[in-house]
Amino acid sequence: MSTGFTHDHTQAAEALRDFYLRSHRALDKLMSAEGSSLARTKILGHIERNSPVRSTDLAAAFGFAPRTITEAVDALERDGLVVRSSDSGDRRVKHIALTALGKEVLCSTEPLRKSFLEGLFSAITTEETQVLTQVLGKLNGRLAELEQGYSEAAPVAAAGVAGKRGRKKASAD
């Protein structure tokens, strides 16, 4: 509920969420029809830009659990899109790099992505695109600040919680 003293950002947040979800679904459908899902393409793109990478690098970049990344990389390797190789200094470390087929699949999706974005952003002017970019940059900056604050506050909050389910144990006085 909006009052004269506060701003209600719910509509903007919901519009942003709806835009993200709808555009993500549409691009995924387009890319999947051509043989590579958006999720796979994102992982392949990250590997290409940062190669060689480790599974832990991918988990950190995408915010996924290590097991989820392992399953994704297993599938990419099974399809011949990536290859794992041992680190010469530490045999426990496996580096992940694109194969020639992985590079080919990634290159084939770029025109689709570019065409999709051009079609999508044709609905707004160049000036509106610039303003949108600035506004989203500000929101991303603020989000980074909030995440940092939450990360710093988390250990303090956890220190006051005891027991398996996050409940403080009652004292036996």
Side-chain angles (χ1 to χ4, degrees), residues 27-101:
L27 184 56
D28 187 50
K29 282 181 187 177
L30 179 65
M31 294 178 101
S32 293
E34 294 296 320
S36 183
S37 70
L38 180 57
R40 287 181 133 207
T41 303
K42 284 181 179 180
I43 293 172
L44 292 173
H46 184 83
I47 293 169
E48 180 189 48
R49 288 186 304 277
N50 301 285
S51 189
V53 299
R54 301 166 300 156
S55 289
T56 54
D57 300 327
L58 292 171
F62 292 102
F64 292 140
R67 181 70 192 148
T68 303
I69 291 296
T70 299
E71 290 171 358
V73 173
D74 286 348
L76 293 171
E77 187 175 39
R78 185 177 53 250
D79 293 344
L81 303 176
V82 300
V83 62
R84 288 182 174 119
S85 59
S86 296
D87 184 288
S88 58
D90 186 346
R91 292 188 339 228
R92 296 170 298 173
V93 175
K94 298 288 186 191
H95 292 286
I96 304 162
L98 295 183
T99 63
L101 179 59

Side-chain angles (χ1 to χ4, degrees), residues 19 23-46 48-49 104-122:
F19 172 80
S23 63
H24 191 274
R25 272 194 311 265
L27 184 56
D28 187 50
K29 282 181 187 177
L30 179 65
M31 294 178 101
S32 293
E34 294 296 320
S36 183
S37 70
L38 180 57
R40 287 181 133 207
T41 303
K42 284 181 179 180
I43 293 172
L44 292 173
H46 184 83
E48 180 189 48
R49 288 186 304 277
E104 184 180 318
V105 166
L106 188 59
C107 286
S108 72
T109 62
E110 185 58 23
L112 289 171
R113 189 186 69 78
K114 188 173 183 176
S115 174
F116 174 80
L117 291 174
E118 286 174 1
L120 179 62
F121 281 91
S122 69

